[in-house]
Amino acid sequence: MVIPSIFVPEDWSFTFYEGLNRHQDSIFKDRTVAELGCGNGWISIAISEKWMPSKVYGLDINPRAVKVSWINLYLNALDEKGQPIYDEEKKTLLDRVEFHESDLLSYCRENGIQLERIVGCIPQILNPNPDAMSKMITENASEEFLHSLSNYCALQGFVEDQFGLGLIARAVEEGIAVIKPMGIMIFNMGGRPGQAVCKRLFERRGFHVNKIWQTKVLQAADTDISALVQIEKNSPHRFEFFMGLSGDQPICARTAWAYGKAGGRISHALSVYSCQLRQPNQVKTIFEFLKNGYHEISSSLDLSFEDDSVADEKIPILAYIATVLKESSFFPYEPPAGNKRFRNLIASFMKTYHHIPLNADNVVVFPSRAVAIENALRLFSPRLAIVDEHLTRHLPRQWLTSLVIESTGSDNPSEDILTIIEAPRQSDLMIELIKKLKPQVVVTGMAHFEAVTSAAFEHLLGVTREIGSRLFLDISDHFELSSLPGSSGVLKYLAGTQLPSHAAIICGLVKNQVYSDMEVAFIISEEEAIFKALSKTVEVLQGITAPMSQYYYGCLFHELLAFQLADRRLPAERESQKGNSVEMIGFASSAISVLNNSELSITEEENTSLIHMDVDQSFLPVPSAVKAAIFEGFARQNLSESEIDVTSSIKQFIKSNYGFPTDRSSEFIYADSSLALFNKVVLCCIQEGGTLCFPVGSNGTYISAAKFLKANILNIPTKSDKGFKMTEKILSEVLETVNKPWVYISGPTINPTGLLYSNEEIENILSTCAKFGARVVIDTSFSGLEFESKSWGGWDLEVSLLKLSYSGKPSFGVSLLGGLSLKMLSGAPKFGFLVLNQSHLVDTFYSFPGLCKPHITVKYAIKKLLGLREQKSGNLVDAIAEQIKNLRCRSKRLKETLEKCGWDVLESCAGVSLVAKPSAYLNKVVKLKHSPEDDATYEVKLDDINIREAILKATGLCINSSSWTGIPGYCRLTFALEESEFERALDCIVKFKDIISN
């Protein structure tokens, strides 16, 4: 039975059924099947009749089609006498087939039906009637309207809409949610958009595609293809038609239109595609994430890969990122040594594949191999080091050109030069140099022919032990992330023998299938003191390694470990290190001072949950626009240079926010942290013989970094009645006594006080600096979250800086340092920028390579977010405004709680921190436990430094003391915590008061 509001079976549906027929007979046997757009139900009935599926759901949006389908079902299920017709399994068509009114797969979704086969002969019609779907679907609707409705004329919100494929695209994505992992989708595809477009619709959504049948059908004479002609006019795309059924050369829509107008008959290809998800569970995870508020970025998703190995790597990673973004409202605190899960995965890989019994506390993560090598050398600061010539490219130029090989015996810091001798990688030549020159540190890789056995490595260990040299061996070239990793003599040795205390292993991870520039590195040491020192070094010099890079490689390790049975093998029994080494070089004196005396992050013990009010990180909810940008950066393929070039966006950002002028000579430099950029600026200051001037009340981590790098540091006094801001009067008095001053300014928001420099204040400070020819570094990294700014008015430095550039001394210049992670409340995408306006400073800066650049996915996300910010896009701007409002409330509540508990608080008006003086606790005596498990106690007389330890041991709350802030008596507390953590922090402050009271 057929009625006018339903498609009459014709070439499209006949071709589709022929395609179904080409499958094996088992394709539908005992399966749960859904047919989309069932029309009068004949295909659903035919499938059930021929293949005896468990159940067929015939679905159609047209209510009259569903009624006619039921009638046709009964006509075929009953004989002439009205009795059921039974098949060989004693079932009737009525047992196997149901018809339901459904917008595509909505009936299955709403009823929790999981399908094994989804088939559909779905219309492909461009948009003649955009309002069709908005009309009320009723039984009284006209036959013409219901026929139009069956065509789904409205746009579906997919990139494929422009080709008339939007409905099929939506059907496929809905199908991903309800199809079982080994399920198959079969669709009819008209070839007008072109075979490549049709096939790509499925491939970019993660399907293997098999074209099982193709023929040609005549284009209906009443079909207007002028819309396709218009698309061709406005784009490079060409549709595919043929002249008659016998034509074998495709013609474009414009030619087809002209041929049809002249009376010719045109045809197009009609294909049947059978599709199966290549990694079903992961693809389902990805689309589940996109469905929850991120549909707008689904057009960027591209899961089509020519190489299966690329697909096998990238799809699980996208699924993992989708899971993290979906389940986490914020990015958690990460220890500087690296994400604990990531370090555990590295240790597990070594244990499982190479039988080396390591744990997370033997592994320190770095942004790159180059950074790991430079940080290790700075930690020990040897007089002489020998470095493999393949590993010196990113080391400071001065180290590679110095000729100071023998100690001068001088105490002059300017003569404290680290000299590097480049050496060939071949072990016999390297060993000869080591014996002759007796370096204090050796950094080398191994030639491929020597890496297969452990002989060369053992020889290196023996020679360096004998002369008292520390050895860092690079295995990057021989380390394979594979389920069948190649043989490595070094790893074989470590499987049977403990790594000696004077040796460490460096490994840079760059061998992935997708991103040649996605890097992370790690150092393995079995010496606890080395592990702790390296962890603190990476914290001081880099901050933390980019979380997204750790997530990426963590996913690769996980994929290689997930299928293996845990603890299947007994732990390896290893020999201890052989022989006694002579006295080794220790850590540099500057490093020891910083590592022992600076307030760095507190290492959490197992099964403890510290509250971190001592880190410059936002743990507030990440806006959905940020999550979308992060995911889209990874989902896209073949990002163009213009899509990741952030310079124009940064120029606009600093101009609109600070009025900071730039020109063609301005150099824009990017890194994955503003701290890493700051440290390169410190090295420029040292190279010039300058003095780095910090206002009292600056970021303690930055001061620690400058000390670690052996900079000449001078404090600029500040006063409490000025909110510990720098003033031009005191600055002038200090600069009169300083040769080659470099002045550091945190602004507009001052970290740690949370106060603001007004435009007038900063102009006066810059004017004073220009008078004395000081180089100025303005650090905006902690700005952009001003919540009490009505009387502030913002910054506009353009006029004053242009004026000062002519009137000040030639050495005067202003560099702008910044970071966007805090401003965007983004957490994971770490991004820092530095703008230099003096050419000789640029040259000096680039003499210190080894900077870890942001990955292209991060640059894409940052550019996108800056664009949204500039456009004042509602989602992002509103989310940031809401969080700023939240920070205002947090600041007020923290201040009130502290004051009730006897603290004197300096009220903040911006940023994520404030400073307060624990006046009520100073000189009080408190009893503390050495550890939660230890009943023994010890007494402490509280001061403005040890109060940090006292609060930590008594409550688990981490704050910074006056040792970090530099302001006598004042501690620093950050308040951009996750909601429940913030409440816990307030409780801890009250709890500590109660402990002292008792």
Side-chain angles (χ1 to χ4, degrees):
M1 177 187 241
V2 174
I3 61 175
S5 60
I6 304 169
F7 282 130
V8 177
E10 36 69 63
D11 277 348
W12 273 67
S13 54
F14 295 151
T15 300
F16 182 54
Y17 187 70
E18 290 168 352
L20 298 181
N21 262 333
R22 294 205 68 180
H23 283 89
Q24 295 177 352
D25 285 348
S26 60
I27 181 73
F28 297 115
K29 174 70 173 169
D30 298 327
R31 305 291 187 180
T32 305
V33 184
E35 185 198 359
L36 305 180
C38 65
N40 70 356
W42 80 270
I43 290 179
S44 290
I45 295 168
I47 289 173
S48 184
E49 179 91 45
K50 180 173 181 178
W51 287 290
M52 291 188 290
S54 171
K55 180 69 75 175
V56 179
Y57 297 96
L59 309 175
D60 204 298
I61 196 171
N62 182 345
R64 242 164 258 177
V66 174
K67 281 188 168 52
V68 169
S69 294
W70 277 109
I71 294 170
N72 285 330
L73 176 61
Y74 276 93
L75 289 173
N76 285 270
L78 307 177
D79 62 17
E80 290 84 350
K81 297 179 181 180
Q83 296 302 308
I85 301 171
Y86 291 94
D87 57 30
E88 62 191 59
E89 295 181 355
K90 306 301 182 187
K91 290 185 177 181
T92 74
L93 290 175
L94 297 174
D95 297 318
R96 298 186 187 278
V97 185
E98 298 177 13
F99 292 102
H100 298 280
E101 184 180 338
S102 176
D103 182 2
L104 293 182
L105 286 160
S106 61
Y107 176 82
C108 296
R109 291 201 320 271
E110 291 162 5
N111 290 279
I113 298 169
Q114 289 288 298
L115 302 167
E116 292 162 294
R117 303 289 183 260
I118 298 172
V119 303
C121 180
I122 297 179
Q124 293 170 222
I125 294 183
L126 291 170
N127 185 39
N129 183 8
D131 300 321
M133 293 297 287
S134 64
K135 295 183 180 178
M136 186 66 69
I137 303 170
T138 68
E139 279 295 312
N140 298 321
S142 69
E143 294 289 320
E144 293 79 8
F145 170 68
L146 289 174
H147 191 279
S148 172
L149 181 66
S150 296
N151 280 332
Y152 280 76
C153 298
L155 292 171
Q156 302 299 311
F158 290 86
V159 68
E160 287 86 1
D161 271 321
Q162 61 187 311
F163 303 118
L165 302 174
L167 185 61
I168 297 176
R170 180 157 75 90
V172 170
E173 293 196 6
E174 287 188 14
I176 290 171
V178 298
I179 200 161
K180 291 183 178 180
M182 300 306 293
I184 295 173
M185 297 188 195
I186 307 168
F187 286 99
N188 227 23
M189 298 291 287
R192 290 174 301 196
Q195 295 299 312
V197 171
C198 294
K199 191 175 180 185
R200 180 165 166 72
L201 181 149
F202 299 102
E203 288 180 332
R204 80 174 191 87
R205 291 172 170 86
F207 285 88
H208 280 299
V209 180
N210 181 23
K211 184 163 65 175
I212 54 177
W213 173 230
Q214 180 174 315
T215 186
K216 292 193 188 84
V217 295
L218 288 171
Q219 178 71 56
D222 61 349
T223 300
D224 182 8
I225 65 169
S226 58
L228 309 186
V229 176
Q230 196 62 33
I231 290 174
E232 287 187 345
K233 179 181 177 182
N234 298 322
S235 75
H237 184 76
R238 292 295 174 263
F239 290 88
E240 285 186 7
F241 290 89
F242 297 90
M243 297 168 65
L245 290 174
S246 58
D248 58 358
Q249 291 297 314
I251 59 175
C252 66
R254 184 168 177 268
T255 303
W257 176 83
Y259 184 65
K261 285 287 185 183
R265 295 302 303 273
I266 57 175
S267 66
H268 61 81
L270 190 58
S271 306
V272 180
Y273 287 98
S274 180
C275 315
Q276 194 165 18
L277 288 171
R278 62 162 90 220
Q279 294 192 33
N281 291 329
Q282 287 95 336
V283 173
K284 282 173 174 285
T285 298
I286 292 167
F287 278 93
E288 184 67 25
F289 167 72
L290 294 176
K291 189 174 71 175
N292 289 313
Y294 300 98
H295 175 73
E296 71 278 4
I297 62 171
S298 64
S299 60
S300 299
L301 182 67
D302 189 354
L303 302 180
S304 60
F305 306 97
E306 292 182 8
D307 186 343
D308 281 348
S309 64
V310 176
D312 291 342
E313 179 174 308
K314 187 162 183 181
I315 291 175
I317 283 165
L318 284 174
Y320 178 69
I321 292 171
T323 301
V324 169
L325 295 175
K326 180 184 174 186
E327 295 179 355
S328 305
S329 63
F330 66 98
F331 290 95
Y333 169 77
E334 302 283 7
N339 177 285
K340 187 70 178 282
R341 175 182 179 272
F342 181 48
R343 290 186 287 130
N344 272 320
L345 287 167
I346 294 171
S348 296
F349 182 84
M350 290 296 192
K351 182 179 178 181
T352 302
Y353 284 91
H354 298 289
H355 317 298
I356 306 170
L358 299 177
N359 60 53
D361 291 336
N362 300 131
V363 180
V364 182
V365 178
F366 290 83
S368 68
R369 178 176 66 177
V371 169
I373 292 171
E374 182 176 343
N375 283 13
L377 289 169
R378 291 196 183 280
L379 174 62
F380 290 101
S381 195
R383 169 183 47 80
L384 175 65
I386 291 181
V387 179
D388 181 337
E389 61 189 356
H390 297 89
L391 302 175
T392 58
R393 187 160 61 96
H394 296 292
L395 293 176
R397 197 179 301 152
Q398 303 89 296
W399 293 359
L400 301 171
T401 56
S402 166
L403 295 175
V404 183
I405 293 179
E406 296 185 3
S407 176
T408 60
S410 169
D411 293 328
N412 189 339
S414 65
E415 297 180 17
D416 182 17
I417 298 173
L418 192 162
T419 299
I420 286 178
I421 298 296
E422 295 180 87
R425 177 164 284 188
Q426 193 171 316
S427 65
D428 56 342
L429 300 177
M430 172 68 76
I431 287 168
E432 178 68 17
L433 273 172
I434 293 171
K435 287 179 175 177
K436 292 288 186 185
L437 298 179
K438 295 181 170 52
Q440 292 157 308
V441 173
V442 174
V443 182
T444 185
M446 298 196 76
H448 280 281
F449 70 91
E450 294 179 316
V452 179
T453 68
S454 61
F457 177 52
E458 290 184 62
H459 200 176
L460 277 169
L461 285 175
V463 170
T464 50
R465 182 191 298 113
E466 287 169 13
I467 69 167
S469 178
R470 295 205 177 266
L471 172 65
F472 288 88
L473 187 84
D474 174 46
I475 63 168
S476 306
D477 293 342
H478 318 296
F479 187 78
E480 295 180 10
L481 274 175
S482 165
S483 57
L484 292 170
S487 178
S488 166
V490 174
L491 299 179
K492 283 180 184 175
Y493 175 86
L494 294 179
T497 309
Q498 186 178 347
L499 187 62
S501 60
H502 76 288
I505 302 296
I506 297 175
C507 184
L509 298 175
V510 292
K511 294 179 180 178
N512 69 74
Q513 299 291 334
V514 183
Y515 298 111
S516 60
D517 61 340
M518 173 72 78
E519 185 174 3
V520 73
F522 59 88
I523 292 182
I524 294 173
S525 173
E526 297 191 59
E527 185 74 12
E528 184 181 7
I530 300 294
F531 167 80
K532 288 182 176 178
L534 286 171
S535 300
K536 292 181 177 180
T537 300
V538 74
E539 178 178 2
V540 168
L541 298 183
Q542 303 297 323
I544 65 170
T545 299
M548 298 312 294
S549 299
Q550 297 185 67
Y551 291 166
Y552 192 98
Y553 282 102
C555 187
L556 298 188
F557 279 114
H558 175 76
E559 289 292 305
L560 292 168
L561 293 166
F563 63 90
Q564 303 221 11
L565 296 175
D567 302 321
R568 186 160 63 91
R569 298 179 181 87
L570 292 173
E573 291 186 11
R574 299 197 298 168
E575 298 177 15
S576 59
Q577 52 185 298
K578 300 173 183 176
N580 295 319
S581 60
V582 300
E583 185 178 351
M584 296 282 168
I585 182 176
F587 305 136
S589 57
S590 62
I592 292 171
S593 173
V594 169
L595 301 186
N596 289 345
N597 301 320
S598 295
E599 283 189 0
L600 302 176
S601 65
I602 297 166
T603 303
E604 292 192 30
E605 301 296 329
E606 289 290 338
N607 302 317
T608 60
S609 179
L610 302 181
I611 305 168
H612 286 280
M613 292 186 108
D614 62 339
V615 292
D616 290 306
Q617 185 177 336
S618 170
F619 302 105
L620 298 175
V622 177
S624 60
V626 174
K627 290 185 175 184
I630 293 170
F631 187 82
E632 191 172 357
F634 282 95
R636 288 282 306 277
Q637 289 194 45
N638 304 316
L639 292 169
S640 67
E641 191 61 37
S642 62
E643 290 176 303
I644 60 173
D645 182 6
V646 297
T647 299
S648 60
S649 301
I650 294 292
K651 275 184 182 178
Q652 183 59 42
F653 176 79
I654 61 177
K655 181 177 176 60
S656 59
N657 283 273
Y658 314 116
F660 189 81
T662 57
D663 54 32
R664 290 182 179 178
S665 64
S666 300
E667 188 74 8
F668 289 78
I669 305 165
Y670 308 109
D672 55 13
S673 78
S674 52
L675 176 58
L677 289 165
F678 169 78
N679 286 325
K680 297 297 182 187
V681 171
V682 172
L683 292 173
C684 292
C685 173
I686 295 169
Q687 178 78 357
E688 191 179 75
T691 299
L692 195 54
C693 304
F694 286 98
V696 169
S698 294
N699 185 301
T701 303
Y702 280 47
I703 294 174
S704 295
K707 289 177 179 177
F708 191 101
L709 295 171
K710 308 175 187 177
N712 187 18
I713 294 174
L714 183 69
N715 288 329
I716 302 170
T718 56
K719 293 182 178 180
S720 59
D721 61 341
K722 299 291 186 181
F724 302 107
K725 291 184 184 181
M726 184 164 54
T727 61
E728 64 270 25
K729 182 176 182 298
I730 296 177
L731 176 63
S732 181
E733 293 170 359
V734 169
L735 294 183
E736 281 179 348
T737 66
V738 180
N739 185 34
K740 297 182 180 178
W742 288 57
V743 178
Y744 172 85
I745 304 169
S746 176
T749 299
I750 304 168
N751 185 346
T753 62
L755 297 186
L756 290 162
Y757 282 116
S758 68
N759 198 64
E760 183 182 358
E761 287 172 328
I762 192 64
E763 285 183 347
N764 290 337
I765 290 169
L766 292 175
S767 179
T768 303
C769 291
K771 177 182 173 184
F772 291 95
R775 301 200 193 282
V776 180
V777 179
I778 298 178
D779 183 5
T780 66
S781 304
F782 310 100
S783 302
L785 298 173
E786 295 80 24
F787 46 82
E788 297 292 352
S789 56
K790 288 182 181 177
S791 60
W792 173 50
W795 276 13
D796 188 357
L797 303 177
E798 185 163 16
V799 174
S800 59
L801 279 178
L802 289 174
K803 181 180 176 183
L804 291 173
S805 65
Y806 293 107
S807 62
K809 287 191 175 181
S811 58
F812 170 73
V814 179
S815 302
L816 193 74
L817 178 66
L820 296 178
S821 298
L822 202 61
K823 291 180 184 66
M824 301 296 181
L825 307 173
S826 58
K830 300 298 180 186
F831 183 88
F833 64 87
L834 175 67
V835 186
L836 301 176
N837 284 322
Q838 293 173 297
S839 58
H840 57 281
L841 189 55
V842 173
D843 293 339
T844 306
F845 186 95
Y846 283 127
S847 72
F848 300 100
L851 201 61
C852 197
K853 302 295 179 65
H855 188 246
I856 58 170
T857 57
V858 172
K859 290 195 282 187
Y860 178 86
I862 291 298
K863 184 178 177 73
K864 180 132 192 167
L865 292 170
L866 286 172
L868 292 174
R869 195 178 185 280
E870 195 62 33
Q871 297 160 18
K872 295 185 167 46
S873 171
N875 282 348
L876 180 62
V877 173
D878 291 349
I880 294 174
E882 183 62 30
Q883 298 295 35
I884 289 174
K885 182 180 174 183
N886 190 10
L887 289 172
R888 178 191 293 114
C889 178
R890 293 277 187 90
S891 174
K892 184 178 179 181
R893 286 190 63 201
L894 179 58
K895 177 176 182 289
E896 290 171 353
T897 302
L898 287 168
E899 287 177 339
K900 286 178 183 176
C901 294
W903 295 66
D904 294 327
V905 182
L906 181 63
E907 186 170 5
S908 68
C909 51
V912 298
S913 67
L914 56 72
V915 296
K917 187 174 185 177
S919 305
Y921 306 102
L922 299 179
N923 299 317
K924 296 281 180 71
V925 176
V926 62
K927 286 185 178 181
L928 301 172
K929 289 184 179 182
H930 288 282
S931 68
E933 298 81 20
D934 192 353
D935 290 331
T937 61
Y938 65 101
E939 287 190 349
V940 173
K941 186 177 182 180
L942 294 177
D943 58 33
D944 57 356
I945 295 176
N946 65 23
I947 193 166
R948 182 191 198 220
E949 180 187 5
I951 293 176
L952 171 66
K953 288 188 177 295
T955 68
L957 176 64
C958 306
I959 67 169
N960 294 117
S961 75
S962 64
S963 171
W964 190 93
T965 65
I967 306 172
Y970 280 82
C971 302
R972 192 276 290 260
L973 302 92
T974 62
F975 44 81
L977 305 178
E978 187 271 333
E979 187 66 39
S980 63
E981 289 286 279
F982 181 69
E983 297 300 330
R984 281 182 60 205
L986 296 183
D987 291 342
C988 288
I989 293 168
V990 174
K991 179 182 176 182
F992 187 71
K993 176 203 169 192
D994 294 340
I995 291 171
I996 298 298
S997 301
N998 295 331

